[in-house]
Amino acid sequence: MSGNIELLNSTLATARAEDRAALIAYLPAGFPTVDGGIEAVKAVVAGGADVVEVGLPHSDPVLDGPVIQTADDIALRGGVRIADVMRTVREAHEATGAPILVMTYWNPIDRYGVERFTAELAEAGGAGCILPDLPVQESALWREHAGRHGLATVFVVAPSSKDERIATITDAGSGFVYAASLMGVTGTRASVGAQAEDLVRRTRATTELPVCVGLGVSDAAQAAEVAGFADGVIVGSAFVKRMLDAPDEAAGLAGVRSLAAELAEGVRKR
């Protein structure tokens, strides 16, 4: 099975054709268990998510706030491995037909082996990777193997990124550009702010790729606000918090499906 970058591209193009932003959900693999994590991905797609990012739990998640760190810790203590991440991608994609990406720090891929990782992700039906801590100038090896296997390489731009730097990043990326709405770690925020809109404008000036905004979106009103200027709305901590706060797994799954439905309605109110 080849990678699914074409599916990702067509899914984002369909949202644009419908004059709305895409809803992109983030959930860590192995949380609350490997099976439970797979069910959670199915639940957010059933609720209305267009694309899902499956997080590869890491012991030093520098971009992630306390909610996702807590979930990662649960997954790691449960013994999650890269094989479980690949299984999550495979089973979730086969069940939903949605494009599934992996969001991961570079160290686990480097230790696992770039060719091995890209080959297995493509074979599992994955659409690509989001690599928040891989500098674009050090990404040639990754991009070579990802391209060979039909995988998207999504890089992150931040409000601090200068225009020239943004152009370098977007020129190297594929699938979409992940625009971090603010400086800081993941987590829900009371306001997403004007920084994100300015960053999307500056990023669009350099690329035809869709620009999707993450970090801080937690409810339908914020999703609608971001959908007014971005091609996609990325939500992670709010989904994970629903799972963490639920009294049991069934309630958690119902919670993330319900939140996905609310957010999916929000992105249609641009």
Side-chain angles (χ1 to χ4, degrees):
M1 187 186 296
S2 65
N4 274 318
I5 187 172
E6 294 86 0
L7 176 62
L8 175 64
N9 292 342
S10 66
T11 299
L12 295 172
T14 296
R16 178 177 285 185
E18 294 173 358
D19 193 31
R20 66 174 179 87
L23 175 60
I24 303 175
Y26 167 92
L27 290 161
F31 169 73
T33 62
V34 176
D35 288 344
I38 293 167
E39 292 305 313
V41 176
K42 294 179 187 176
V44 295
V45 175
D50 299 290
V51 178
V52 180
E53 303 172 7
V54 169
L56 194 161
H58 187 46
S59 56
D60 188 24
V62 293
L63 185 70
D64 294 312
V67 170
I68 291 174
Q69 283 188 25
T70 300
D72 277 4
D73 187 54
I74 290 168
L76 289 167
R77 283 192 281 115
V80 71
R81 295 287 182 268
I82 287 179
D84 300 311
V85 177
M86 297 299 179
R87 182 184 150 217
T88 300
V89 171
R90 174 182 288 104
E91 294 189 14
H93 173 63
E94 288 176 352
T96 65
I100 313 286
L101 299 106
V102 169
M103 186 165 189
T104 179
Y105 297 98
W106 179 245
N107 181 261
I109 294 177
D110 192 40
R111 292 190 60 159
Y112 196 72
V114 176
E115 169 56 22
R116 181 184 177 196
F117 190 95
T118 52
E120 290 183 9
L121 181 57
E123 192 276 328
C129 260
I130 302 161
L131 300 160
D133 68 339
L134 177 63
V136 67
Q137 65 270 21
E138 297 175 21
S139 67
L141 178 66
W142 164 266
R143 288 187 286 126
E144 176 192 339
H145 288 289
R148 187 180 302 158
H149 291 291
L151 299 170
T153 298
V154 177
F155 288 114
V156 178
V157 296
S160 61
S161 302
K162 301 286 190 284
D163 291 352
E164 185 179 355
R165 175 72 177 164
I166 291 174
T168 300
I169 291 169
T170 59
D171 186 56
S174 55
F176 64 92
V177 182
Y178 188 125
S181 66
L182 40 78
M183 302 304 294
V185 297
T186 59
T188 61
R189 300 293 198 286
S191 170
V192 179
Q195 272 189 320
E197 187 166 2
D198 178 63
L199 178 58
V200 169
R201 179 187 58 75
R202 293 194 295 125
T203 304
R204 279 196 176 137
T206 71
T207 185
E208 294 296 311
L209 289 172
V211 182
C212 303
V213 170
L215 271 66
V217 178
S218 60
D219 59 33
Q222 289 176 331
E225 177 192 353
V226 174
F229 58 81
D231 299 299
V233 179
I234 303 168
V235 181
S237 295
F239 283 118
V240 176
K241 193 170 188 305
R242 287 281 176 110
M243 298 285 286
L244 284 170
D245 291 348
D248 54 49
E249 189 176 302
L253 294 174
V256 294
R257 179 171 179 161
S258 168
L259 178 59
E262 294 166 25
L263 293 165
E265 191 174 329
V267 300
R268 285 163 171 78
K269 292 179 177 175
R270 57 192 303 171

